Structures are given as structure tokens and as C-alpha cells.
Amino acid sequence: MAGLVNNLLILFLIFQNSCLAFRSPLSVFKRYKDSAKSHSNECLGSNRQLVPLSLSDFALDIRMPGVTPKQSDTYLCMSVRLPVEEEAYVVDFKPHASMDTVHHMLLFGCNNPSSDEDYWDCDGGTCTDTSNILYAWARNAPPTRLPKGVGFKVGGEEGSKYFVLQVHYGDVSAFKDKHKDCSGVTLHLTNQKQPMIAGMYLMMSMDTVIPPGEKAVNADIACSYKMYPMHVFAYRVHTHHLGKVVSGYRVRDGQWTLIGRQSPQLPQAFYPVENPVEIKYGDTLAARCLFTGEGRSSKTFIGGTASDEMCNFYIMYYMEAKHAVSYKTCTRNIDPEMFRNIPQEANIPIPVKPDMTMVHGHHEEAKSGDTVSVMQQPKRDEEEVLDQGDFYSLISKLLGEREDVVHVHKYNPTEKAESDLVAEIANVVQKKDLGWPDAREFSNKDERANAILVRDRIHKFHRLESTLRPPENRHLALQPPKPGSGNWEKERTGDLNIEEVVDWPGINLKLGQVSGLALDSNSNLVIFHRGDHVWDANSFDSGYIYQQKGLGPIKESTILVLDPNSSAVLHSTGRNLFYLPHGLSIDHNGNYWVTDVALHQVFKLASNGAESPLLSFGRALQPGSDKNHFCQPTDVAVDPVTGNIYVSDGYCNSRIVQFSPDGMFVMQWGEESSVGQTKPGQFSIPHSLTLVSDFGQLCVADRENGRIQCFKPETGEFIKEIRHPLFGREVFAVSYAPGGLLFAVNGKPYPGDTVPVQAFVMNFSTGEIIDTFIPLRKNFEMPHDIVASDDRTVYVGDAHTNTVWKFASPEKMEHRSVKKAGIEVQEIKEAEAVIEARLTNKPMSKELLKKEEKHPVVQQASTGVSVVLITTLLIIPIIVLLAIAVFIRWRKTRIYGADAEHKLDSSSGGILGKFRGKGGGGLNLGNFFASRAGYSRKGFDRLSTEGSDQEKDEDDATDSEEEDAVPHPPAIPPSS
């Protein structure tokens, strides 16, 4: 019996190792080998693209499948699908190419390659969707090493599913012998989560003009950094012929710290930074390109031809995974005066020996003094490697040869022109079919090369900074709340605790971005959401014109009326009316008042489900600031006594507009916040409104100023301000409940801030915070609106998690205590109160402490479940095997009697014998079940190990942990 137990334990260990193997790259390789395309690769003599390196790591070989280009300046592409569905991380790149054959290679990540052939001419582009450059190689450049623990994330729900390799074969004379080329790159990938994610930051000048004959001309770029910390580990510089030196710095408290400095006439590779540089919130990133106009007879502008110039400084960085942003840009100079203090080294050219300079084009470069020759020479080679920026001559092709547009932006380089052009570029490249003409239609070889690469180049540049920016300087002075003018206050504004109603099923509703909440006269919850539309950086151009009209209005119901207890949808409305819903309120007659930031309008809707508005304000899709226009209005409030209508307007106007009950303009008040100390009546996104009926006031959530301002609604006279350190820098929404209670929600903390995102209960009269609360199920990410009822029931809607929570006081929940399936709901609430107290670090009452001592299992609830689950899963196979062994022993004892012990020991030895390739006996499940009546041997005679591995691997692919996505704090006012 002891021998049998030992053998069973060995079986279990083998079974466990097999399970682990299902996660290993070996099993991934088996599956990938069967499904991957077989590339004819005469160079390698093998089509083995994926090589397991360890249980968690593997190498993926991405090579051209033995190609022979027929003409110079040929661009060939090929794609390889990521061999795993779950997230993976590229941690190293190993190039396989020679500059004798290959001019440059680019590796893209995307989801839809332009072709499914083994390889194709890149005239058709690399990808039909947005692509990201993951790797670049040129001129025998050494590999770019990523620091330990840093990787480019691919796969999973959001990462790229395909790698697309683009190879530029410059001089076809290298293929006179008609050999086949297999240049490419080997990726080292791991499925182990990397704590740091790599990304790219591009600093680029767009308005530099270089006068002819000028000895030294500076192009300066500077932007404030408003994100989580990033760590710089490599940099790259780029100009055309006139660039002498490019330098990049971090500026903090007036101190300039060098990131990198290099001559753009040297090989333009990524160079490691000499000293680690960390960029934090509030820092300024600055770069300078030094040019000379000597040898030119006319002005030189920023552009994409050989006679134009460029000024680019690339920063390769990594960030914590939960805050990572893969790409950032800076195209402005926010403070020209600061460059008076730039280190002198930025003004000193770096000497370059003639044998070290870049070769411009495939032919000898014309003399600098010959302007005509310079204008006609081919585009320099290195310029086509990574410059990514034929912004003007090439964009004219994208915009349908609209040279007038390009001319305006190129030769009148104002900030507005820059943002307008960027918006047009973004609008064009978002389209699936760019209507490319055949490259052969271009007579000039440079134009052909430009046409081939323009789509890939523009993918990177169209993601420029959003035009919606927060104030560069925010006043953070925290002043005590001023006493309110109201002299009435009920006792109910005293101690009050608010907690989530954890059995409310409304949290599981399938919603779009939740933008507005309200309660009707029956206390039903009304939700205003965006369905399948999303507000992101591509939604508006610099003039606040909505850019996604082609999507049409939201087809599903955007207004849902819910039962407050069961969350059942009672009725719905709002189909085919809205593009980007925002604010919602309900007047005393039950009419819905809503705003749409895309349409720049305010609507009054009947609650009976009628699909046409009763009243409309503003002009559809036309932003403005006069009495007939709005610019992204955010909320509406209707006075139940006078019927006056108040609109907060909005994201691009800083005002409150008053209308009469019949919709006539009455007055407006408010202005944009001034730099430094914000004054009463100034706004930075008035985001939410609430009427305080008990005190005759209208209160505004002044979002970006992190405060609540209250006014006399009839006159707009400022009454008081409520501001608290716990608000942090943003207050998103505010709601008043009769009885003197004011509710509010703040925004996500900025880097370095410690204030959490949470909801507040305040005494309106004094401004004192009575309680703060957060949900137990899910987390607040961007709580966008809040509404409170007379009985202190509170609802919060989140525009990032697309969730609505219900909160109430414990006293109210305890009144609902009933028996459900023999479990006392009252006890469940007490257990939740204990958990909530521990999660929020609140002191527990003595009563709760006593009850917790009686039920200590609550303390171990979260860890105990996982331990029990894992233990159970490990024990079940052993129990099953032992049960089978006991049954066999019992059966043989009946058959063989006293001789059974000897026979059992003999047969058990056969188990190990099977694995050693000997032993005729053993535990044969096929024979065992075949001996039972009604069973067939079919399917048990032989087990396919390969097939079993594959099935297990597919099942296991869904068993990975999902990382909680914590969005980075917005560098601009979040587009919600």
C-alpha cells in the first residue's frame, strides 16, 4: 500500500508539472507552429519562428522570407501574429541586417496588417489601423537595450496583435547575384508582467524660420509635464542639413539638467543617457536645435523636403505600468524667456569629422552653395529612417493636393495654424481608406518614396497634444470656508455616515460613459449615458468642432429610468438624438433637461418618451460665446419657483447663462480664471450645478479650481466659496439634498498628491465635511456626477468605469433587515461595516468591535477564500486517485483473496514501469472502464499528449489575472 501511495504521489507531481507546462512557451510554440504561416526562408533553412527560452520567456524571429528586390528604394513589409493571446512584453531586440544590403528597418505594432501575404510592397501601407513604432534600425546601429524590468506591452485586450516589419532596400546593386535576403529582428518576449512600460516622447518645433546667411538660429521647444513620473533612458536627435547640435533638458526650480546632446550629422541612433533623469509633475521639458543659414539664398522653413528643415528631440522613457502612456508629444514653447538661462553648451556646435557625417541620399550631396542643386537632390537616407515628419509637402497629398492649406500653415506658422493643421491631419489619418494613388503616377522618385512612407510616418504625429489644456498654473491655496448666509439649519446635518448599498444590482448595468444622473418625482433614478460613443482626444479640433459626426447620433437609448430598489429599467428614451451627452436635470414638471457637448446645445425633453425636444438652446454643432451659442455646455438647473433656467457653459466658456422659462436670454456672469489667485466669479470649467432651495442659492462645481462657488441665482451675486484640502485639485459634481446637506465628488489625484478620489457629505451652512465615502465594489476612477434624495440616498455615476453606485446611511439599510434564505441581512450589513471600516481606516464603533470579536472570520475573508480555493484544487486530484486506488484494492481483494496484496504490489509497480518503458501491468483506465457494463474502450486506448496539451493551453489562456487599470491623471482637463 505504501508503494501505491508513493506512485500516486509521483503521478500527482507529474500531473502538476504538466499543468505548469500548459502555461509555458513550449505549449504556445506547439499551437503557434500549427497555426502560423509557413514562410519560405532559404536564408535560415528553417521556418521555426518561435523558440521557447524558459517557462515564461520565448524568442520570436521576424525575418523577411527570402526576398530579392528588383529596384532601388524598394520597401517590403511582412507580418507575424503575436503567438499568445494574453499580454506579453518585448524586453529586447536583436537586429539581423547589414547596411550593405538594407538601408533601414522599422518594426510596427498594430492589429490589422495591410496584407495577409507572406510579404508585400509597402506601397499599400503597413497597417490599416493605427500603428506604433516599436523598433528602428539603420546603418549597423547597435541594439537598443531596455533596462531590466522595462518592456513594450503587446497583446491582451489593448495591445497590438501583429508585428509588421518594414525593410527599406536602398541600393539594388547589392542584389546583382540575385541572392535572397532574410533581414529582420529577433524579439525577446516574456509573459511576466513588467513593472515598467516603455514609451516615446517627441519634442518637435513647427514654426522655425531660418534666414539666409544667418550664422546661428535657435529653434526652442518647451512644455510643462503634467503626468505621473517618467524615467528617461535614451534619446535621439534629428534635423536635416542645417542642424549643428540638438540638446534636451529637464528644468526644475530653475535648474537645467541635461538629458542628451548630440550632432544631428552623426548617425541618428538612440543613445543612452549618461545619468538617469526622472521627470516629475510640474517639471518643464525643454529642447533647442541650433541651425545655420549659411549657404542658403532664401528662407528655410520647417517641412519635409530636402530644402526644408526639422527639429526633433526624441525621448525614450519608462513609467510604472499602472500609469503608463505609450506616446507623448510637445510642439510648443510655453516660455521663451526661460531660454535666456539655457546652458551655453546648447549654443556650441559639435565638431564632426568628414568621415563620420551622414550620407545624404544615395548619391553624393550637392555643394551647400548651390541652392538649386540642394532643392533638387534626393531626400537624404537617414531622413527616411525615423524622421516621421514630411508634415507639409506630404500632408498636401493626404489632404488632396490642398497646397493652399499647406502654404498657409507653412508660411504663417501661428499656434492656431499649427493646431488646425494637426486637427486636419488627425481627421484624415483616422479614415480607413486614404485613397492612395499608385506610386508609379509620381514622376519624381522622391515623391514616390514619400507617398510610400507617409501613412506610416503620420501615424505617430497625428497623436499630438490635445488642444484642451488645463491652466499652466493652478492656484492651490486652501482657505477656510466662509460662513454661509443662511441662518437655518436642522439637526439632521449632524453626524451622518454614508455607505454603499452592496446588494443593489444596478452596479452591473451595461452602460456607456455615465455623464449625468437625476431623480424624478417618484425617486426613480434617471441615467444619462453615451452608449457606444466615447469622448477622447480625437473628438474635437482646436476650435471645439466635433470631428466624429460621421458616426451619427447614438442609436441606443441614452436616458434610462430605473427602479431605485431593483434597478430594473422602467422606461427609456433619447435614441438618435445625441452625440456626446453630458449634464442631466429634471424640473418640477418632470421634464428632462440635458446638454450635449458635441452639439453645443441644451434640450428640454418630455418624460413620456417623446423623441423630439420640447425646447432647444444653441446652434447644432456650432460652438460660440454669444447669447445664441454655447461651447460644450455642461449642466442645467431649473428653478422650481420662478422657472428660470441656468446653464453652466462650459469647457470652453467660463460662464453661467440665465434664461427665462420660455427660453429667452436674460443675463450671464462669470469669466475665465486669472493666473495665480482665482477670484470669486471666475471659473475653470464650471462643470455641475445644483439649486440650494432652502437658502435660495445656485452652487457651481468649479472643477479645475477645486472649489464650489455659490451665487444668488437672480442676480449672479457671489455669496460664498467652499474649498477643502480633501477636495484636491478638482471638484467634478455637486448636489444639494433638502435639510442642509451638500454632496460632492472630486477628481483623480495628480502625481505626488495624496488626496484620494472620493465623495463628500457637507453641512451646507458651515461648509464642514461631515463624512467621506467610497464604494466597496469596484473603485471610483472618474466620478462624473452625483445626486442625492431627501432621504439621504445617494447615487454616483462614473464616466471611466461606466458604473453607477447606490449609497445610503447604515440606519436606512438596517430598517430593511429581513431574513433571506436563513441569513440575517442585519448581520451581513454589520460584517460589511467592519470591512468598510478597515478599507477606509475609519475607527469602528465599540459595538462593531464586540461583534467582530465574535466573528473573527471577517478579518481573514479575502485571503481565506483564495487559500481555501487553491488548497481544494490541489487536493481534489489526490483524493480522486486515492479513491480509484482503494476501489481497485477492494475489487482485487474480493477476487484474489489473501493473494491480493502480492498482486496489487506487483501491478502498482507497473505504474512506474510505464514511465520507464517497461512493466506490463499498470493502472489502465481504458481497461478498467471497459470492464464495466455499458462502457466502450473507444477513446481510452490511447491518450494524445499533444492534443491534451493544446486543449489545456487554450483553456488556461483565460485564467490569467487581470491587472487593475489605474488611469494616469489627465495632463489636460479630462474629456468627459
Side-chain angles (χ1 to χ4, degrees), residues 11 47 55 178 251 257 260 281 296 298 315 337 378 383 424 426 571 595 664 744 751 764 885 905 922 956:
L11 271 176
N47 63 354
L55 285 176
K178 298 185 184 299
V251 184
T257 301
Y281 182 92
R296 292 291 176 98
S298 60
I315 297 172
E337 291 298 317
E383 190 173 273
E424 290 197 65
H571 55 88
T595 70
M664 300 300 294
F764 178 78
D905 290 342
D956 193 58

Side-chain angles (χ1 to χ4, degrees), residues 204-423:
M204 176 178 66
S205 174
M206 298 186 67
D207 55 4
T208 299
V209 178
I210 305 172
E214 193 76 22
K215 184 175 182 180
V217 178
N218 297 324
D220 296 334
I221 317 156
C223 284
S224 295
Y225 186 76
K226 302 289 187 180
M227 307 285 282
Y228 280 96
M230 71 176 185
H231 306 267
V232 179
F233 64 91
Y235 71 95
R236 177 182 180 267
V237 303
H238 174 76
T239 70
H240 295 179
H241 313 290
L242 304 183
K244 296 300 181 181
V245 63
V246 181
S247 309
Y249 298 88
R250 178 201 71 191
V251 184
R252 180 185 296 169
D253 299 328
Q255 298 297 315
W256 293 67
T257 301
L258 180 68
I259 295 174
R261 174 176 174 266
Q262 188 58 276
S263 168
Q265 306 308 320
L266 293 173
Q268 295 179 2
F270 275 96
Y271 295 91
V273 296
E274 294 186 5
N275 300 300
V277 180
E278 181 185 42
I279 313 298
K280 293 183 178 180
Y281 182 92
D283 288 343
T284 298
L285 287 168
R288 166 171 286 183
C289 298
L290 176 65
F291 295 101
T292 180
E294 293 179 331
R296 292 291 176 98
S297 59
S298 60
K299 292 181 179 180
T300 303
F301 298 89
I302 295 295
T305 71
S307 61
D308 292 323
E309 264 303 336
M310 295 190 72
C311 171
N312 295 355
F313 186 76
Y314 296 84
I315 297 172
M316 193 176 287
Y317 63 87
Y318 61 84
M319 301 176 71
E320 289 186 31
K322 62 182 179 180
H323 304 312
V325 178
S326 61
Y327 192 77
K328 309 173 189 178
T329 57
C330 172
T331 61
R332 300 182 300 153
N333 182 2
I334 62 169
D335 186 5
E337 291 298 317
M338 69 181 292
F339 284 90
R340 295 178 181 272
N341 300 317
I342 192 171
Q344 188 60 29
E345 62 188 359
N347 302 314
I348 302 175
I350 294 179
V352 178
K353 296 180 181 179
D355 59 344
M356 296 174 61
T357 57
M358 302 296 296
V359 179
H360 300 294
H362 299 297
H363 309 285
E364 185 177 357
E365 182 182 12
K367 294 181 181 180
S368 60
D370 190 348
T371 305
V372 175
S373 298
V374 170
M375 291 288 288
Q376 295 177 346
Q377 71 178 9
K379 185 177 174 69
R380 61 187 276 189
D381 283 359
E382 193 61 19
E383 190 173 273
E384 297 192 12
V385 178
L386 275 176
D387 67 8
Q388 314 299 320
D390 297 344
F391 246 84
Y392 301 99
S393 61
L394 298 185
I395 292 309
S396 67
K397 295 182 177 64
L398 273 175
L399 300 178
E401 303 296 334
R402 291 170 57 184
E403 296 291 352
D404 56 331
V405 175
V406 176
H407 176 83
V408 167
H409 293 299
K410 180 174 179 179
Y411 298 104
N412 298 278
T414 64
E415 183 175 350
K416 184 179 187 304
E418 168 201 330
S419 58
D420 289 345
L421 178 60
V422 170

